[in-house]
Amino acid sequence: MQNRADDLPRRRRLPAVLAGLGFLAILAIALVGAAGRIRSVPSEPAAAVAWAEPAQAPAAGSGPAAAPARFTTVAVRLQKNQTLNQALFSLRLAAAEVNEVVEALRGHFPFRKARPGDQLRLERTEDGDLHRFTYRQGAADEWVVERLPDGTFEGAKRPVELTTEVARVAVTIESSLYESLGRADEDPGLAVLAADVLAWDVDFYQDVRTGDRMRILVEKIYADGKLLRYGEVLAAEYDGAATGRKRLFRYTDASGHTSYFDDEGNSARRGFLKSPLKYAHVTSSFGMRRHPVLGYTRAHEGVDYGAPTGTPIWAVGDGSVREAGWKGACGKAVIVKHRNGLDTIYCHLSRIAVSAGKSVSQKQIIGYVGSTGRSTGPHLHYAVKRGGRYVNPMQLKIPRDAPLPASALVDFREKIAPLREQLAGPVALN
Ligand SMILES: [Zn+2]
């Protein structure tokens, strides 16, 4: 394992380890909770859903007969085309109780925003009285209806405290960015976020080499102390054998525009992305091991990217769709005409997501990898033409967007200084 261990001291690694343990603890509680419910409603085990909330688990240590406040819990998920009322009936609420719950939610809960998969949970006292109803949507939205001492019901949206933390993630790549992040106890989805930021400089399908290093400063958003999702990538650095060192910082200028810039204030953006493939969730290192990217050859007139069927293909730059459809040996194909005089050609798609004549913007998904036409396996054949002649896509020199104006540089340097320091990590190790 060659991830954060080599450039992070123990002190800095600890929070990540704790976060990992915390996640396991939540998982354990969810499993215990689910098991408890299955026991309490043996007739409906399929309806039980995991509900990660320690406070609601049966109190440990109290004997089954001794605890006066024991509740029976049933939980279901809202089904497709099911109304809230129907879901409430499926929880075996009486018609009068359904009315009470719905009335208590009125004014608090946006009924039209109920979605399949939302979690409903009902607690009854040992006497069978309705005690509490909880409706949860995602990790951060929860509504609760509770019985008041006078027997009436009160509904409210439970305030969920969201906190944001900036985390530093550092990995050394062994086989793929995904696997490296997984080993660092991060959600591999972080690879997609980082690849998106670096998309003008690094082709994550062909530039990645074993031993390359990546550092990311990313916001982690917690709901009630549990990791909800990643926020913005504040800084990203890729130091690779094929790419050299690329380092970018997120910056919002005085007029409110946000983009990524290098240390000198040069824009990360260019007219073309480095890769025609959007970095996506690929479980194996498919592209690296079995289907290496073949270099450009004049006879072949393009570059082949081995990638699983369904891998998203994005327009490398703004333009308009010249052709979209079947094109002989090229199979299902898209040709995009760009303002810089270049045409980009994408072949063998399994599915086309644009139509001829429409304009497309950079990073817009235009189709998905397939094996249509003259092709022996799923791959993208990518070619570029200038004035009707094929040119090598790997040797294109596409200029960057305008740098920050001199007037913004003082503010820019001030803002990125702490990010640069945090990204670099502990000085003692460098
Ligand atoms: Zn090809």
Side-chain angles (χ1 to χ4, degrees):
M1 176 160 126
Q2 283 251 329
N3 46 49
R4 51 184 72 217
D6 62 345
D7 65 352
L8 276 176
R10 202 161 291 277
R11 184 162 43 85
R12 295 292 294 267
R13 264 187 287 150
L14 199 56
V17 172
L18 289 176
L21 288 175
F23 181 74
L24 285 178
I26 289 165
L27 193 65
I29 289 160
L31 290 173
V32 166
R37 267 191 309 285
I38 288 166
R39 270 201 307 276
S40 67
V41 280
S43 60
E44 289 188 323
V49 294
W51 196 283
E53 200 172 356
Q56 306 302 334
S62 58
R70 256 186 114 229
F71 302 108
T72 311
T73 302
V74 208
V76 293
R77 285 184 188 275
L78 194 65
Q79 305 297 307
K80 243 185 182 169
N81 302 321
Q82 191 181 35
T83 65
L84 178 61
N85 279 42
Q86 288 166 341
L88 288 170
F89 278 114
S90 79
L91 287 166
R92 297 191 184 157
L93 278 174
E97 291 175 323
V98 169
N99 278 341
E100 283 177 318
V101 167
V102 169
E103 282 312 311
L105 284 171
R106 210 173 286 285
H108 303 285
F109 179 71
F111 290 99
R112 273 181 297 177
K113 288 194 177 161
R115 291 194 296 252
D118 289 354
Q119 299 173 59
L120 292 78
R121 193 178 58 163
L122 192 74
E123 289 164 76
R124 288 187 186 279
T125 64
E126 282 187 317
D127 301 332
D129 290 334
L130 177 54
H131 170 67
R132 182 193 288 132
F133 169 75
T134 314
Y135 189 100
R136 181 181 284 187
Q137 189 168 67
D141 292 301
E142 190 172 294
W143 293 263
V144 180
V145 174
E146 266 178 311
R147 183 192 287 275
L148 299 178
D150 67 2
T152 61
F153 287 89
E154 186 179 62
K157 178 154 196 222
R158 193 172 73 87
V160 176
E161 196 195 347
L162 292 184
T163 51
T164 302
E165 218 172 74
V166 176
R168 174 181 185 271
V169 177
V171 293
T172 298
I173 288 151
E174 274 181 29
S175 56
S176 78
L177 186 55
Y178 262 108
E179 287 174 89
S180 307
L181 285 167
R183 273 190 229 104
D185 296 326
E186 295 294 333
D187 184 323
L190 182 55
V192 177
L193 293 181
D196 207 47
V197 169
L198 289 155
W200 293 273
D201 284 313
V202 181
D203 179 339
F204 282 93
Y205 285 89
Q206 61 168 313
D207 292 343
V208 174
R209 303 284 182 274
T210 298
D212 286 1
R213 299 203 305 169
M214 185 164 191
R215 298 170 180 180
I216 309 161
L217 281 190
V218 63
E219 294 174 339
K220 287 184 175 178
I221 298 169
Y222 295 87
D224 284 343
K226 293 170 216 160
L227 182 60
L228 178 63
R229 58 182 165 83
Y230 292 107
E232 300 295 345
V233 172
L234 303 182
E237 180 183 298
Y238 194 88
D239 195 353
T243 59
R245 187 166 77 170
K246 307 291 181 186
R247 182 161 59 190
L248 298 170
F249 300 94
R250 180 183 163 87
Y251 173 68
T252 303
D253 67 18
S255 60
H257 290 116
T258 300
S259 192
Y260 288 88
F261 301 90
D262 71 7
D263 290 75
E264 276 74 51
N266 296 308
S267 176
R269 294 170 185 274
R270 299 173 190 264
F272 275 14
L273 301 167
K274 191 81 190 297
S275 174
L277 289 178
K278 175 177 167 62
Y279 196 72
H281 196 340
V282 191
T283 45
S284 68
S285 49
F286 181 98
M288 296 181 65
R289 281 184 190 149
R290 281 176 292 167
H291 294 259
V293 170
L294 303 176
Y296 175 83
T297 63
R298 202 161 287 280
H300 189 61
E301 297 167 341
V303 177
D304 282 339
Y305 283 81
T309 296
T311 303
I313 300 163
W314 55 16
V316 294
D318 295 345
S320 59
V321 178
R322 197 193 275 280
E323 290 179 44
W326 192 270
K327 204 172 162 58
C330 194
K332 286 187 185 172
V334 173
I335 301 179
V336 178
K337 174 187 182 342
H338 303 277
R339 280 187 289 276
N340 58 11
L342 297 174
D343 279 5
T344 52
I345 298 143
Y346 312 80
C347 296
H348 311 310
L349 278 52
S350 58
R351 191 154 71 82
I352 293 172
V354 290
S355 49
K358 294 277 163 60
S359 61
V360 289
S361 50
Q362 189 174 61
K363 287 190 175 178
Q364 182 178 333
I365 291 172
I366 57 173
Y368 299 87
V369 169
S371 190
T372 53
R374 194 183 304 148
S375 166
T376 53
H379 77 288
L380 170 69
H381 178 96
Y382 172 61
V384 180
K385 269 186 173 179
R386 178 188 280 125
R389 287 166 175 265
Y390 286 103
V391 295
N392 185 346
M394 293 156 91
Q395 284 179 354
L396 291 175
K397 295 274 181 281
I398 307 286
R400 292 186 185 279
D401 288 4
L404 285 170
S407 59
L409 285 178
V410 171
D411 181 60
F412 172 71
R413 293 205 180 97
E414 210 177 281
K415 295 264 171 63
I416 70 162
L419 297 179
R420 186 154 56 181
E421 199 173 310
Q422 203 182 342
L423 186 69
V427 181
L429 284 185
N430 287 336

